[in-house]
Amino acid sequence: MIPLTLTQLTAAVRGDLRLSGSDTPDTVVSGAVDTDSRLIEPGGIFVAKPGETTDGHRFVDAALRRGAAVALVERPVEEAITQIVVPDAVSALADLAREVVARVRERGDLRIVGITGSNGKTTTKNMLARILEGEGETVAPRASFNNAVGAPLTMLRVTEDTRFLVSEFGASGPGEIARLAGLVSPDIGVVLMVGMAHAGGFGGIEATFAAKSELVRAIRPGGLAVLNADDPRVSAMAPIAAEGDVSVRWFGRGPDAHVRATDVEVTAAGTRAELEIDGQAVPLHLQVLGEHHVMNALAAIAAATALGVDPRDAVARVETLEIAERWRMQPLGSERVRILNDAYNASPDSMAAALRTLAQITRPGERTVAVLGAMSELGEYAGEEHDRIGLLAVRLGIQRIVVVGAEARRMFLEAVSQGSWDGEAVFFPDADAAYDYLLTELREGDRVLVKSSNAAGLRFLGDRLGESFS
């Protein structure tokens, strides 16, 4: 974090300063901010956030032992550490992020990009960060730090030398993206797609559209919206951009996109495409597997080139990305049995894309195996969406469909009803049972997709399989 005096820090979070030891109101604090006492470093600021299962106030002493200089608390604690008492620790974290980013923006040439969408946020964020790191100091979220805690923690990593801040905005309900993006008013907002992910929490696809469009409304006047020209719901956000004096830059596969892809080819070695970037032809060879990641690359390149990055430099840098993120189309195992562990998140769109990728990369003589778990947060749409995935797996000719967990059982039942009734589709109640089956079932030449939402826990099954067949 940038240096702030305790007086400035207290004012930013609208708290009550309680000094300890030799600290004075003019004492300067510049350490990193975190809600996890295990990650606190000397001089850091510990945010004692109450949680669902524990309370951060219990760990102030642990943070102090690791060298914390200040604790943001909702009630005074006994530990001998300077404290700032606030009504709500998460709100205070957001207030501090807003203040720090505003100060850095006033002093330099900081440019801020916000990214949202039902799928692809983390991959696009990683691609854009990889491109921008070649231009100057870039701050981007670790893993999927995109919620009310993760997004401000990322923002607080900016320094006076930071040129680019890439923020990823997720949401579990209406208004959340507006609150998070409103902390920084991005120069550029990227909207990837509007799909069924989290539709249960939003109340349907139209409510999801409204929530994702909150990012476009948060872009500062004179800024830029980078929109998916191939998604009708995303392209419908163009009038919203115009209302806010925000211009639009399109990415997609169609002829009208500023950044477009043609001749896409997916293989086990990666994904190739021909790009046209503002009329300039540039070939692309992604190491990241999956045709759907071409759209993520287009979005990242569209944002980067809008920030002045040379198109060929942007493409060359995104090509160096080997995987999108751990547990996202992560190749494991060996050439004998290749495991694709894509079980960090799952929605109907990403599940379908992963299954298509499995079918595309499998060569004659090899066998497709899909290990599938539940898709979370679909609410009333869960049943029909799991049915559709079971149907798609059969239509794609997936040769072994292994469904894991009671919440995913309808995928198995639909696959059986569509013709996979002679052992092609099997069901197991838990990952351990599925693992035991797969150890004996998998054979040389198998290409195995492991796909589920995070809550289903199949990412660890994917890791176990990858180790067993390495």
Side-chain angles (χ1 to χ4, degrees), residues 2 21 37 107 124 126 153 171 197 208 211 217 224 228 242 246 288 297 317 393:
I2 64 171
S37 61
R107 298 175 186 176
T124 305
N126 287 339
L153 286 177
T208 304
R217 298 183 190 278
L224 178 71
N228 182 348
V246 169
V288 180
R317 291 169 192 165

Side-chain angles (χ1 to χ4, degrees), residues 144-387:
S144 292
F145 269 33
N146 61 21
N147 61 12
V149 173
L153 286 177
T154 298
M155 296 168 188
L156 287 166
R157 288 169 43 214
V158 301
T159 72
E160 292 170 345
D161 296 322
T162 301
R163 285 195 60 194
F164 304 103
L165 168 63
V166 180
S167 288
E168 177 184 338
F169 298 125
S172 56
E176 190 167 355
I177 292 174
R179 287 191 295 274
L180 295 176
L183 299 177
V184 294
S185 298
D187 301 284
I188 296 176
V190 180
V191 185
L192 300 170
M193 66 178 299
V194 175
M196 290 298 295
H198 314 298
F202 287 112
I205 195 72
E206 293 307 320
T208 304
F209 163 82
K212 300 305 180 184
S213 66
E214 290 170 9
L215 175 57
V216 178
R217 298 183 190 278
I219 299 170
R220 58 177 46 210
L224 178 71
V226 174
L227 303 180
N228 182 348
D230 298 349
D231 186 321
R233 292 187 175 89
V234 176
S235 60
M237 296 179 190
I240 298 173
E243 291 172 5
D245 189 25
V246 169
S247 57
V248 173
R249 183 165 171 79
W250 299 103
F251 68 93
R253 304 278 289 270
D256 296 329
H258 298 98
V259 180
R260 64 187 293 252
T262 59
D263 301 325
V264 178
E265 179 187 5
V266 181
T267 71
T271 309
R272 296 181 181 275
E274 294 299 321
L275 303 190
E276 186 178 298
I277 306 171
D278 298 315
Q280 181 177 349
V282 185
L284 171 72
H285 181 196
L286 287 176
Q287 297 185 66
V288 180
L289 294 176
E291 182 175 356
H292 52 297
H293 288 310
V294 171
M295 291 296 286
N296 298 330
L298 294 179
I301 292 166
T305 50
L307 290 168
V309 180
D310 180 86
R312 292 192 177 276
D313 288 342
V315 171
R317 291 169 192 165
V318 83
E319 288 178 334
T320 66
L321 201 68
E322 296 181 356
I323 62 171
E325 184 92 19
R326 187 183 180 191
W327 299 317
R328 288 179 169 88
M329 296 303 284
Q330 181 181 6
L332 300 171
S334 63
E335 278 305 308
R336 183 171 64 91
V337 177
R338 174 64 68 196
I339 312 294
L340 289 178
N341 194 353
D342 194 31
Y344 187 82
N345 266 325
S347 69
D349 294 311
S350 69
M351 186 78 83
L355 284 170
R356 291 191 184 99
T357 298
L358 176 64
Q360 289 170 327
I361 68 172
T362 304
R363 298 171 295 189
E366 298 175 341
R367 186 174 65 158
T368 51
V369 180
V371 183
L372 307 177
M375 300 176 288
S376 301
E377 301 182 53
L378 292 175
E380 64 184 286
Y381 307 99
E384 62 188 76
E385 293 300 333
H386 283 87
D387 288 348

Side-chain angles (χ1 to χ4, degrees), residues 402-409 426-434 456 458:
V402 182
V403 178
V404 184
E407 292 182 348
R409 186 177 175 83
V426 293
F427 172 79
F428 296 97
D430 56 55
D432 287 338
L458 295 198

Side-chain angles (χ1 to χ4, degrees), residues 127-141:
M127 289 177 167
L128 181 57
R130 179 63 59 90
I131 296 170
L132 295 178
E133 285 165 358
E135 303 294 313
E137 182 178 303
T138 300
V139 171

